[in-house]
Amino acid sequence: MAKDFSTRAENYSQWYNDLVIKADLAENSAVRGCMVIKPYGYAIWERIQAVLDKKFKDTGHSNAYFPLFIPKSFFSKEASHVAGFAKECAVVTHYRLKNSPDGKGIVVDEDAKLEEELIVRPTSETIIWDTYKNWIKSYRDLPLLINQWANVVRWEMRTRLFLRTAEFLWQEGHTAHATREEAVREAETMLDVYADFAENWMAIPVIKGTKSPAERFAGAIETYAIESLMQDGKALQTGTSHFLGQNFAKAFDVKFLNKENQLDYVWATSWGVSTRLMGALIMSHSDDNGLVIPPKLAPIQVVIVPVFKTADQLDQISQTVLPLKKSLESKGITVKYDDRDTQKPGWKFSEYEFKGIPIRLTIGPRDIGQGTVEIARRDTLEKETVQLSDIEVKVLQLLDQIQQNLFDKALSFRESHTYRVDTWDEFKKVLDEKGGFILAHWDGTAETEEKIKEETKATIRVIPLNNQMEQGKCIYSGKPSTQRVIFARAY
RNA sequence: CGGGGUAUAGCGUAGCUCGGUUCAUCGCGCCUGCUUUGGGAGCAGGAGGUCGCAGGUUCGAAUCCUGCUACCCCGACCA
């Protein structure tokens, strides 16, 4: 299976595509630009959802659900928002089909034209703020802290599985607050939630920061983001959080009476992560042998492969394995015992390695005789034989070690691919020869950012939070600058 | 959406330049049997195809022409 699989060095994007398909995460569908997320891929997404959902609830949010369709007129209410999304909206114009007059197939019934077209949501700010208008009357109704898990559609020209698809799954939080300070704090809190999730669950180190005006969300005052570095030296935004100011409140007339009995517009935030996280997960840790999944997100953490020749031997092995499986499961570990006799052990080793299962235990007649188990870890591919009595402790330790090792490896990769650059020539050279994050001075203007993007394809990924202030000269214009920002080519 | 490429069995492919009893090739996978089983087993036999779709040229099309669709690469756009 892995034999006809590209390596990262040969062709990184082919490697990614092969991995997604061959590890059974997702595939292209009959619908252009849309993917089918297969059971194994969806199981990982469900883990992501479960962990994030708990974090949202723990920070006071509730889930709700808003419609897939948004009246066209809603979009025009916030000028920069509509400008940002207009070019990639799917539009519903009719509500009925009929048999084709020539008897062949089915056609749109032109008599069933909608009075007002409906937009398939590319994001839900407009429908949500139109709804919040009715929910918010007083400061007592605030803060309003809501999240929804949903699909959205953005009609992309070029798509790639998980990284950019026309339809994708995500969560979008939409909150309303009485004060500017509280809304900013909310946006920052959710950024922290995302960063914590990325680092401690996905084992992906991130840099928190704000976006430059050019990269800001359409309709936001400030966009925060976490940015991470993939193994090919390109950046991937792994989550965003927006301080929307009163833009949507004003566009949708959402006012509340404050404690002083005065009408005021509410302050808003929105924040989201998508199935793109799957892409980040794959590209951060996986290697030329296939997927590598961090233990805390792996749908199966431990797979047990028996080695046997006869049914009697399998029975004997199972007598050892089944209690072990149960015991591991009682400690919250997900275990799969693959006792199929239709595949050989070697085949199973490769299969589970390719799918990134963190730990594999092998038990054969030899082990039964000696009271041992072979334990293999996916991240380093190391194997050792341990006493059966020690295996539970070992598994628990190893899961933690693998989780930590993946993070450490990703962090040291990022650190060794982050460059401080002070001249334009060096900037272009590093970008072409090494990739990675480039810390460089920027004069703060959109014109310079645009020029740099045109000439090098690199964009400002983030202006790091709590950035160290430092006098310098803009890499491009030579004008004075007070801090370095992070440039990179990005997904 | 612009430029380039690709489309042959579940997957990967040969054949296409020069149309025709080498025309549907080979490998993996699949099925059956026997031998195997601690890193993707071996041998033997077998099943599986509207050659992407729709037209056209021709006595004859996987092969030539036109249109369409999908995918890949490079641009523009983006989570």
Side-chain angles (χ1 to χ4, degrees):
Chain A
M1 184 185 226
K3 285 169 192 159
D4 53 347
F5 164 64
S6 308
T7 63
R8 289 164 295 179
E10 278 166 13
N11 186 339
Y12 191 84
S13 61
Q14 190 63 46
W15 166 81
Y16 175 83
N17 292 339
D18 285 355
L19 202 44
V20 172
I21 299 290
K22 290 179 178 148
D24 266 341
L25 298 177
E27 63 187 34
N28 283 304
S29 69
V31 186
R32 180 204 192 99
C34 295
M35 65 178 159
V36 174
I37 304 177
K38 298 183 75 175
Y40 189 53
Y42 201 78
I44 299 172
W45 175 242
E46 284 180 312
R47 292 283 303 140
I48 292 173
Q49 279 187 304
V51 174
L52 281 173
D53 199 64
K54 177 157 193 321
K55 287 181 184 291
F56 298 157
K57 306 249 169 85
D58 288 348
T59 45
H61 303 85
S62 303
N63 285 335
Y65 187 78
F66 295 84
L68 171 68
F69 301 119
I70 299 175
K72 191 179 72 175
S73 58
F74 283 21
F75 263 88
S76 49
K77 292 190 179 180
E78 213 291 330
S80 61
H81 190 65
V82 68
F85 287 104
K87 285 170 299 198
E88 49 187 15
C89 286
V91 184
V92 179
T93 55
H94 294 76
Y95 59 86
R96 198 161 62 210
L97 299 172
K98 62 179 182 185
N99 289 321
S100 170
D102 64 10
K104 290 183 209 158
I106 205 154
V107 295
V108 171
D109 186 343
E110 292 297 338
D111 293 334
K113 196 168 183 339
L114 288 169
E115 285 280 310
E116 178 178 3
E117 292 94 336
L118 297 171
I119 311 302
V120 180
R121 62 181 167 217
T123 180
S124 303
E125 273 78 5
T126 58
I127 185 84
I128 285 178
W129 283 92
D130 182 76
T131 308
Y132 281 4
K133 175 178 61 190
N134 302 319
W135 294 3
I136 298 169
K137 299 294 175 202
S138 145
Y139 71 90
R140 293 191 179 92
D141 299 324
L142 298 172
L144 183 58
L145 306 173
I146 289 180
N147 174 65
Q148 87 164 339
W149 290 95
N151 58 338
V152 288
V153 169
R154 296 182 188 176
W155 213 260
E156 298 292 346
M157 293 297 128
R158 274 180 73 187
T159 60
R160 288 189 70 191
L161 293 170
F162 290 119
L163 295 173
R164 180 171 302 107
T165 45
E167 179 193 19
F168 56 94
L169 306 183
W170 77 346
Q171 58 69 215
E172 46 181 327
H174 296 274
T175 69
H177 306 265
T179 65
R180 177 188 187 99
E181 294 66 37
E182 190 183 302
V184 169
R185 204 180 317 128
E186 165 77 5
E188 290 174 349
T189 298
M190 299 321 288
L191 188 74
D192 287 341
V193 166
Y194 289 153
D196 174 68
F197 174 73
E199 299 201 326
N200 294 318
W201 293 81
M202 302 188 75
I204 300 174
V206 297
I207 293 179
K208 293 189 277 190
T210 57
K211 288 285 185 182
S212 65
E215 298 278 323
R216 200 173 277 157
F217 175 72
I221 303 289
E222 185 80 276
T223 288
Y224 300 85
I226 50 173
E227 202 72 30
S228 38
L229 189 63
M230 302 296 104
Q231 292 182 68
D232 62 345
K234 285 171 80 176
L236 184 74
Q237 179 177 299
T238 27
T240 53
S241 170
H242 315 289
F243 168 59
L244 302 172
Q246 295 175 310
N247 291 347
F248 285 91
K250 286 176 178 166
F252 288 89
D253 196 36
V254 185
K255 292 183 210 167
F256 72 107
L257 275 170
N258 61 24
K259 288 180 182 172
E260 285 77 43
N261 197 32
Q262 288 169 330
L263 266 184
D264 196 5
Y265 289 110
V266 301
W267 298 85
T269 80
S270 67
W271 27 274
V273 297
S274 70
T275 35
R276 176 177 253 202
L277 284 179
M278 296 287 294
L281 190 72
I282 296 159
M283 288 196 290
S284 293
H285 307 306
S286 299
D287 60 24
D288 295 341
N289 297 303
L291 274 183
V292 177
I293 307 190
K296 285 164 90 172
L297 288 180
I300 299 167
Q301 295 170 309
V302 175
V303 64
I304 304 175
V305 177
V307 179
F308 60 94
K309 291 184 184 174
T310 64
D312 281 351
Q313 274 180 336
L314 177 59
D315 274 350
Q316 207 183 355
I317 292 166
S318 296
Q319 279 171 29
T320 300
V321 169
L322 292 173
L324 172 63
K325 177 171 186 280
K326 212 166 206 145
S327 176
L328 287 170
E329 283 169 344
S330 74
K331 297 194 162 53
I333 299 169
T334 50
V335 183
K336 174 172 176 160
Y337 177 35
D338 187 350
D339 60 355
R340 289 178 296 173
D341 61 1
T342 51
Q343 311 291 348
K344 299 181 57 178
W347 189 93
K348 293 176 185 173
F349 295 167
S350 298
E351 173 76 6
Y352 293 114
E353 206 163 279
F354 196 78
K355 292 203 164 176
I357 311 297
I359 292 179
R360 184 190 71 234
L361 302 181
T362 306
I363 301 185
R366 233 159 49 202
D367 298 294
I368 294 297
Q370 297 165 5
T372 57
V373 181
E374 182 189 82
I375 182 165
R377 57 189 286 182
R378 174 60 183 91
D379 58 338
T380 61
L381 299 174
E382 291 164 341
K383 292 189 285 199
E384 63 177 303
T385 299
V386 301
Q387 288 300 311
L388 184 60
S389 53
D390 297 335
I391 195 66
E392 286 186 29
V393 174
K394 184 72 189 173
V395 164
L396 285 164
Q397 280 175 352
L398 202 50
L399 287 172
D400 283 346
Q401 278 173 28
I402 293 170
Q403 183 79 28
Q404 188 63 44
N405 179 46
L406 291 178
F407 179 81
D408 291 346
K409 259 164 64 177
L411 182 61
S412 80
F413 177 85
R414 187 186 79 192
E415 282 170 350
S416 63
H417 290 79
T418 299
Y419 310 94
R420 291 169 73 89
V421 161
D422 291 307
T423 69
W424 181 236
D425 283 343
E426 203 187 344
F427 183 88
K428 288 187 288 189
K429 190 163 179 248
V430 169
L431 209 49
D432 285 338
E433 292 173 9
K434 298 173 175 167
F437 283 157
I438 300 182
L439 302 172
H441 280 281
W442 165 55
D443 65 19
T445 68
E447 299 75 60
T448 297
E449 185 181 5
E450 180 61 25
K451 284 273 169 51
I452 293 174
K453 186 178 176 183
E454 273 174 29
E455 293 185 28
T456 66
K457 312 285 174 237
T459 50
I460 297 172
R461 299 322 302 155
V462 282
I463 302 156
L465 292 182
N466 309 316
N467 208 7
Q468 201 177 349
M469 291 297 140
E470 160 192 311
Q471 292 304 315
K473 285 182 180 170
C474 173
I475 197 92
Y476 188 82
S477 68
K479 290 179 190 160
S481 149
T482 57
Q483 61 178 330
R484 289 174 187 270
V485 299
I486 297 182
F487 284 92
R489 292 197 177 122
Y491 278 96

